[in-house]
Amino acid sequence: MKESIINLFTHLHEHAEVSWKEIETTNYLVALFEEAGFQPQRFQHIPGFSVEIGEGSPKIGLRADMDALWQEVNGEMRANHSCGHDAHMTIVTGVMQQLQKIGHLNGTVRAIFQPAEELGNGSLSVIQEGVIDDLDYLYGVHVRPFDEISYPNCAAGIQHGACLFVKGQIDGLDHHGARPHKGINAIEVVTSIVQQLSFTHIDPHIAATVKMTNVHAGTENFNIIPGKASFGLDLRAQTNEVMEQLKAKVENVCQQLSALYHVPIHIEFFDHVPAAVVNEEAAHFMAQAIEHILERPAIPIIITPGADDFHFYTIERPHLKATMLGLGADVTPGLHDPYMQFNHQSMEKGIAILTDVCLRTIKQFHMKEGED
């Protein structure tokens, strides 16, 4: 399969599309599956599709994210697969092709090609399409940086952190630079927000950060003190519980400073992505598959400060037993770097491991049913 894998990856890499615009990516993959004898089902309201093989229980989902980032590459702004989603689509497609070669399955494997992971909400729209409601297990995959897992090592789960963004607005009035006592300087308020948030104290055993990542205030006239300003915050926490603490801290700081400066401060939370909830049974099956394919022990679970909307599936459908394969791929310089590179041989490892875990899950399910 090596040549077909590389050809598929190359096409997806060279025809990247950003979130919610994965139209041609969907068309290309749907046509590929149809030519192979599958019956892919397009989503009704969003780009993407699902395709399955086998019948009956257990029902296993394989998720592949489809979107690219909009970045400057060699002086040109363009869609760019710098997070490995082209590899993820290639791997999941390869798994379905392998399962087709195996033949009859005493269970169902459904591949889900999801849009808009980079915006942190594509999975929620897929959930609304109803394609995961009857699944028992859900497996994902993500290529990992070289300094997190070296090729060919793999992890049976990825403990992604939670992520939350904040839009803020300070609504004061502009006033003359010679009369600072006539109003509030929005830049000073922004500075106070940064200072107060720096005093956020969370359990040091749990990674968490809150920082200002966007500020706009003032005009081209340097003799006007700005009364208005907009700002943005990025919140990260390794657990959902700590994220709630950070959120409450931001709300409290803005309320207190609004009262102190006598100026309205409005904030809006958006694009929340929850922390991972890794299922023990699913991770156990993944670890067995990794050890079988690589002939070396799996790394149990890796902890990473990044976020992934894969984890909305288990938040919204708690019955799902889910984990994500941490695929050692020697990603350099790093994920989201516009010049990201990785070891392409990792895709073959990923296909073998995910194929194994699907077959292993089906076998273990029926063994358990027999015992019951």
Side-chain angles (χ1 to χ4, degrees):
M1 292 183 61
K2 183 175 293 186
E3 183 176 355
S4 64
I5 289 171
I6 295 300
N7 289 340
L8 174 57
F9 169 79
T10 300
H11 177 92
L12 295 172
H13 183 78
E14 294 178 350
H15 297 81
E17 296 177 298
V18 296
S19 304
W20 300 124
K21 296 183 179 180
E22 307 94 331
I23 305 300
E24 294 306 319
T25 302
T26 299
N27 292 339
Y28 179 82
L29 289 172
V30 165
L32 185 150
F33 276 106
E34 289 177 340
E35 290 172 6
F38 289 88
Q39 296 180 322
Q41 302 295 314
R42 295 174 183 265
F43 297 143
Q44 294 185 9
H45 304 103
I46 56 174
F49 66 100
S50 66
V51 58
E52 64 181 45
I53 189 170
E55 59 183 11
S57 295
K59 294 188 176 182
I60 303 166
L62 293 175
R63 181 269 216 161
D65 31 18
M66 302 170 63
D67 56 330
L69 291 157
W70 186 254
Q71 293 180 303
E72 181 178 341
V73 184
N74 295 324
E76 174 191 4
M77 294 299 300
R78 63 179 177 85
N80 183 40
H81 273 303
S82 59
C83 199
H85 296 184
D86 44 2
H88 304 163
M89 290 184 282
T90 301
I91 290 168
V92 171
T93 300
V95 173
M96 298 301 284
Q97 292 172 343
Q98 288 291 83
L99 293 175
Q100 186 182 45
K101 290 182 178 181
I102 291 171
H104 176 72
L105 294 178
N106 193 19
T108 303
V109 177
R110 180 180 303 152
I112 298 168
F113 290 83
Q114 177 208 304
E117 187 280 328
E118 296 295 354
L119 295 183
N121 54 15
S123 60
L124 290 173
S125 295
V126 171
I127 291 170
Q128 294 175 1
E129 295 283 330
V131 297
I132 70 161
D133 290 346
D134 60 342
L135 294 181
D136 302 297
Y137 296 86
L138 180 65
Y139 296 114
V141 57
H142 207 300
V143 294
R144 306 314 304 164
F146 77 100
D147 55 354
E148 191 173 88
I149 308 179
S150 60
Y151 175 85
N153 296 299
C154 292
I158 304 176
Q159 184 62 57
H160 282 104
C163 175
L164 181 64
F165 299 140
V166 180
K167 291 179 182 178
Q169 181 71 36
I170 299 168
D171 284 328
L173 295 175
D174 293 351
H175 47 291
H176 201 291
R179 300 173 179 85
H181 62 291
K182 293 291 188 179
I184 297 302
N185 188 333
I187 296 175
E188 294 176 357
V189 179
V190 167
T191 302
S192 294
I193 293 173
V194 172
Q195 290 175 335
Q196 290 302 312
L197 289 178
S198 69
F199 299 139
T200 300
H201 298 298
I202 300 294
D203 184 344
H205 296 94
I206 303 174
T209 64
V210 54
K211 58 276 183 191
M212 189 167 289
T213 55
N214 183 284
V215 179
H216 294 279
T219 67
E220 295 182 359
N221 299 108
F222 288 6
N223 62 345
I224 296 177
I225 298 175
K228 295 182 181 294
S230 63
F231 62 90
L233 302 175
D234 176 288
L235 281 63
R236 305 274 171 164
Q238 207 59 56
T239 69
N240 294 314
E241 293 76 16
V242 169
M243 177 57 77
E244 289 300 314
Q245 296 177 36
L246 287 183
K247 183 179 177 181
K249 176 67 174 180
V250 170
E251 290 176 326
N252 184 59
V253 164
C254 290
Q255 289 172 2
Q256 295 297 324
L257 291 177
S258 176
L260 177 65
Y261 285 100
H262 303 289
V263 63
I265 302 177
H266 308 286
I267 60 172
E268 173 190 355
F269 296 96
F270 70 104
D271 280 356
H272 169 239
V273 180
V277 179
V278 180
N279 178 264
E280 183 176 341
E281 181 181 352
H284 176 66
F285 292 159
M286 187 70 77
Q288 289 181 323
I290 291 169
E291 184 166 357
H292 179 228
I293 297 300
L294 300 184
E295 298 183 340
R296 64 176 64 195
I299 298 170
I301 293 179
I302 56 171
I303 298 176
T304 178
D308 196 298
D309 76 349
F310 176 84
H311 308 298
F312 269 124
Y313 291 116
T314 50
I315 295 293
E316 297 295 321
R317 298 294 184 271
H319 71 278
L320 271 179
K321 299 177 180 179
T323 192
M324 179 178 283
L325 169 65
L327 184 64
D330 285 347
V331 172
T332 57
L335 296 170
H336 289 205
D337 187 287
Y339 303 102
M340 181 273 250
Q341 299 289 327
F342 71 98
N343 187 330
H344 290 180
Q345 292 181 335
S346 65
M347 291 188 288
E348 288 189 82
K349 303 292 186 186
I351 291 170
I353 292 168
L354 288 182
T355 301
D356 185 290
V357 80
C358 287
L359 297 174
R360 189 175 301 274
T361 302
I362 291 172
K363 179 180 178 180
Q364 294 296 327
F365 177 86
H366 289 293
M367 288 179 61
K368 184 178 179 181
E369 290 290 300
E371 291 173 357
D372 293 342

